[in-house]
Amino acid sequence: MAARKSSTEMFVRTVIARAYPRVIGQHRELSWVFFDIFLPLMATCAYVFVYKAIRAPEEYIGFVIMGGAMTAFWLNVLWSMSSQLYWEKETGNLGLYVMAPNSLMAILLGMALGGMIATCMRALVIVVLGSWWFGVTYAIGDFIQLFATFMLTMTALYGLGMLFASLFLMFGREAWHMSNLLQEPVYLASGFYFPIRSFNFWIAASASIIPLTLGLDAMRQLLFASGAKFGFLSVRVEIAVLVVLCVVFIGAAKYSLDYMERLAIREGRITDTRK
Amino acid sequence: MKRSELSFPLVPRFLRFPALSRSFTIASWLGWQIESNWADPFLFAVYSVAKPIASAMILVVMYNAITHGNTSSPIFPYIYLGNAFYIYVATVMTGVSWAVIDDREHYRTLKYIYIAPLRVPFYLLGRGVARFIIGSISVFITVAFGVLFLKVPLHLSDINWLMFFAALFLGVFALAMMGLVLAGVTLLIANHVWFVGEAVAGALYLFSGAIFPLDILPQFLRPIGFLMPLTYWLELIRRSLLGHTAAAFPTLAAFSNAQLFGILVGLATFFTLLAFVVFRYCDFLARERGMIDMTTNY
């Protein structure tokens, strides 16, 4: 029992320790506010004006604002988590992480939480200012379902991020390009700027393996009066699938990180910073 | 020792063309090695195709969701081609500015580059060449995809090739200068954001008329678009490719091709001066603050 408590405490302390430099870094230099919040807000507005140019119904503007806000989380997962272990390897920290008596999952979680201030701020600013500028109105029917959807989406998404972190590390130098490659295709497949129902059923169903697809669809259904009209599946079904994705991705991430750690210790190649 | 190298110290520093061309060509070669050596050809092909096609398809799906697939409207080729050539904005600006972070924090060689007989601004411009080549492949694939599968009305015999290449050259030159401004700023910031160039390019989407005519913007935001070389560059590219169809939108309809070229040359010159002033100032500050070899492992 004592050992169990100690490992839990170690996990939490590791999360805090890895989150700390990110939080401090963001306080130390505030340039990210411009590059990470203001500029993406402008990019989201551009998609709103595309809909205005083709005279789309008003609901679509709300859909774009929500999608633009959720890009923050996807980018945080890709760049601050998935490709981060590779970056840590290149800067010489990964060997230290593997040697230290802590969990790699805790380190990755710390990275994600440390970057969460910027991520949440970016999402919040896009939602608040975007809704204000373009007069988006919300009609929230069920707060509990909305909260559950958001939390499940985030859990599954960050589980996927942890899985990617170990996979990308094994891809070596291709890690960054994999992250780059997964930006626009996922924006497309997950329907960040349009309802996923615009695709046929099988394409939408295949895209549902990305947690943001169903998460975003369910949130749009719960946030907008006409959201259900554009929904892919019912909110209850989408929540159920998200629960399954959480279990699968976190389990797979744990297995994959453990495997990578064993490989790193046994073969000593993964932590090698040869360029 | 070559004769040019012997006479080198006698030439005023700003006229030392061999140093400039050497900085540019070596950096171009280095950039290409870095960009092309990382992946197997299959992954490189997937990367070159999937990213630009997905980016274009986002707009196509948005457009189809509203218009039910009416691609005969003039706004469709306007959006599609604007988006396709906008790929250059992100690739060139990212290529030039990302080299700062890559060399400073990843390879940790920026300090050595500073003490080497190179001109750093030209070195950074050279590092952008590889991304420009990759961007060109992406633009070609995106345009070809549009013509083959989405009925984008592009006919090779109707294209004004001279105008197209002249506009392309001027536009990419202006973009490289904007990238240099960004590279200067990047010297002074930490590595919080992975691709500063892409973030800036994403924001300029709003003001360049790339995917919607500037008239759609509120009145007070339009002047920002008119100050951007991208606005005139994309208009010239569309006119060279589409001919009369491109003039269906009133934003720049009153300007002749020659006037648009004149404005583009003027803005490219302005951004060239701005780039060297800003870069020089940021470079001075970075040296003063000891940021040339900064690493920010946040």
Side-chain angles (χ1 to χ4, degrees):
Chain A
M1 187 70 188
R4 201 170 185 180
K5 188 180 174 186
S6 149
S7 71
T8 309
E9 191 184 326
M10 175 67 85
F11 189 93
V12 174
R13 286 175 66 159
T14 306
V15 171
I16 294 169
R18 188 58 190 89
Y20 179 79
R22 284 217 169 150
V23 175
I24 294 300
Q26 283 162 358
H27 279 282
R28 193 174 286 168
E29 201 198 303
L30 294 171
S31 57
W32 64 270
V33 174
F34 179 75
F35 289 105
D36 215 15
I37 294 179
F38 179 72
L39 297 184
L41 174 65
M42 299 290 103
T44 304
C45 291
Y47 284 101
V48 172
F49 283 112
V50 171
Y51 274 134
K52 283 187 176 286
I54 53 177
R55 298 187 181 88
E58 286 297 311
E59 299 95 309
Y60 280 82
I61 292 168
F63 293 168
V64 168
I65 298 293
M66 282 308 298
M70 296 306 279
T71 58
F73 296 101
W74 181 239
L75 291 178
N76 186 28
V77 162
L78 275 185
W79 293 107
S80 300
M81 197 181 219
S82 301
S83 54
Q84 190 67 31
L85 283 188
Y86 170 71
W87 180 260
E88 300 283 1
K89 168 188 161 180
E90 293 290 286
T91 52
N93 287 338
L94 185 63
L96 302 175
Y97 291 163
V98 172
M99 273 190 284
N102 53 29
S103 152
L104 279 174
M105 281 185 98
I107 288 173
L108 286 167
L109 195 59
M111 289 173 186
L113 290 178
M116 204 50 105
I117 294 174
T119 306
C120 289
M121 189 89 86
R122 172 174 167 169
L124 197 67
V125 166
I126 290 174
V127 169
V128 172
L129 290 184
S131 305
W132 178 44
W133 288 345
F134 298 108
V136 177
T137 49
Y138 298 95
I140 304 171
D142 191 331
F143 275 101
I144 295 170
Q145 276 194 337
L146 182 64
F147 181 73
T149 304
F150 181 77
M151 292 312 291
L152 285 169
T153 306
M154 289 300 112
T155 308
L157 187 66
Y158 282 91
L160 180 65
M162 288 180 187
L163 176 63
F164 277 169
S166 58
L167 293 178
F168 283 13
L169 188 62
M170 291 182 217
F171 292 153
R173 293 182 67 176
E174 289 156 23
W176 286 358
H177 300 284
M178 288 298 293
S179 285
N180 226 336
L181 184 60
L182 286 172
Q183 262 180 235
E184 281 80 1
V186 168
Y187 290 172
L188 172 68
S190 294
F192 275 68
Y193 298 111
F194 50 82
I196 191 66
R197 203 177 173 175
S198 305
F199 289 131
N200 74 36
F201 178 83
W202 292 109
I203 294 177
S206 309
S208 299
I209 195 159
I210 305 160
L212 278 169
T213 308
L214 293 182
L216 199 50
D217 191 69
M219 280 190 277
R220 281 172 177 154
Q221 291 190 54
L222 293 163
L223 278 169
F224 299 104
S226 57
K229 195 173 78 180
F230 297 95
F232 171 50
L233 301 170
S234 75
V235 173
R236 282 175 185 276
V237 173
E238 290 182 338
I239 288 177
V241 177
L242 283 171
V243 170
V244 174
L245 289 179
C246 286
V247 174
V248 169
F249 285 138
I250 291 175
K254 174 87 176 83
Y255 174 81
S256 176
L257 285 167
D258 287 348
Y259 174 75
M260 191 207 71
E261 201 170 336
R262 283 198 303 275
L263 207 65
I265 293 166
R266 195 175 66 222
E267 298 187 9
R269 282 192 295 116
I270 284 182
T271 53
D272 184 12
T273 58
R274 276 176 300 180
K275 296 188 171 88
Chain B
M1 192 178 281
K2 288 178 189 171
R3 193 176 166 181
S4 61
E5 287 172 352
L6 279 171
S7 59
F8 195 78
L10 301 174
V11 182
R13 197 174 172 198
F14 67 95
L15 284 177
R16 286 177 194 168
F17 183 75
L20 307 186
S21 64
R22 186 179 58 220
S23 306
F24 184 80
T25 48
I26 287 178
S28 305
W29 176 83
L30 175 66
W32 179 252
Q33 293 300 314
I34 291 172
E35 292 295 331
S36 63
N37 272 351
W38 54 266
D40 63 75
F42 175 72
L43 192 60
F44 185 78
V46 171
Y47 176 73
S48 303
V49 173
K51 195 175 157 75
I53 295 291
S55 174
M57 285 305 293
I58 289 171
L59 289 166
V60 171
V61 176
M62 284 170 72
Y63 182 85
N64 282 346
I66 305 304
T67 65
H68 306 291
N70 175 23
T71 54
S72 59
S73 166
I75 194 145
F76 180 71
Y78 181 101
I79 293 174
Y80 193 86
L81 289 175
N83 179 66
F85 281 88
Y86 202 83
I87 289 170
Y88 276 125
V89 181
T91 51
V92 174
M93 287 177 65
T94 302
V96 176
S97 60
W98 174 248
V100 171
I101 299 281
D102 209 17
D103 284 1
R104 187 182 69 192
E105 309 208 17
H106 181 199
Y107 298 113
R108 300 186 187 185
T109 50
L110 191 61
K111 57 192 169 196
Y112 304 116
I113 285 159
Y114 260 80
I115 57 172
L118 291 171
R119 298 298 301 274
V120 175
F122 289 86
Y123 169 82
L124 294 174
L125 289 171
R127 285 291 301 274
V129 170
R131 294 268 181 139
F132 166 75
I133 295 169
I134 294 170
S136 298
I137 296 169
S138 301
V139 171
F140 176 78
I141 289 168
T142 309
V143 173
F145 183 84
V147 172
L148 292 174
F149 301 108
L150 302 169
K151 298 179 191 165
V152 174
L154 207 63
H155 306 286
L156 290 179
S157 56
D158 295 342
I159 295 171
N160 185 339
W161 290 104
L162 182 66
M163 183 173 158
F164 173 76
F165 282 112
L168 187 66
F169 173 78
L170 277 172
V172 171
F173 179 81
L175 284 173
M177 292 304 120
M178 292 167 78
L180 196 56
V181 173
L182 204 55
V185 174
T186 309
L187 277 173
L188 299 175
I189 61 173
N191 181 24
H192 286 307
V193 187
W194 282 95
F195 288 105
V196 174
E198 286 200 4
V200 173
L204 290 180
Y205 226 27
L206 182 61
F207 301 111
S208 60
I211 48 174
F212 56 83
L214 280 183
D215 302 279
I216 304 292
L217 279 179
Q219 194 86 41
F220 70 97
L221 288 176
R222 288 179 208 168
I224 302 172
F226 288 120
L227 288 173
M228 291 289 131
L230 308 177
T231 308
Y232 307 97
W233 170 56
L234 289 171
E235 178 71 9
L236 281 167
I237 291 283
R238 284 194 196 99
R239 285 190 188 185
S240 66
L241 295 176
L242 297 172
H244 297 300
T245 320
F249 301 97
T251 317
L252 298 169
F255 292 92
S256 68
N257 293 345
Q259 285 172 322
L260 289 177
F261 266 114
I263 297 169
L264 185 56
V265 168
L267 285 172
T269 309
F270 169 74
F271 272 94
T272 304
L273 294 173
L274 183 72
F276 282 92
V277 169
V278 169
F279 188 85
R280 197 169 172 163
Y281 179 67
C282 293
D283 177 70
F284 170 76
L285 287 181
R287 288 169 195 253
E288 279 280 299
R289 296 175 188 172
M291 298 173 92
I292 300 298
D293 62 347
M294 175 174 74
T295 48
T296 48
N297 278 330
Y298 296 139

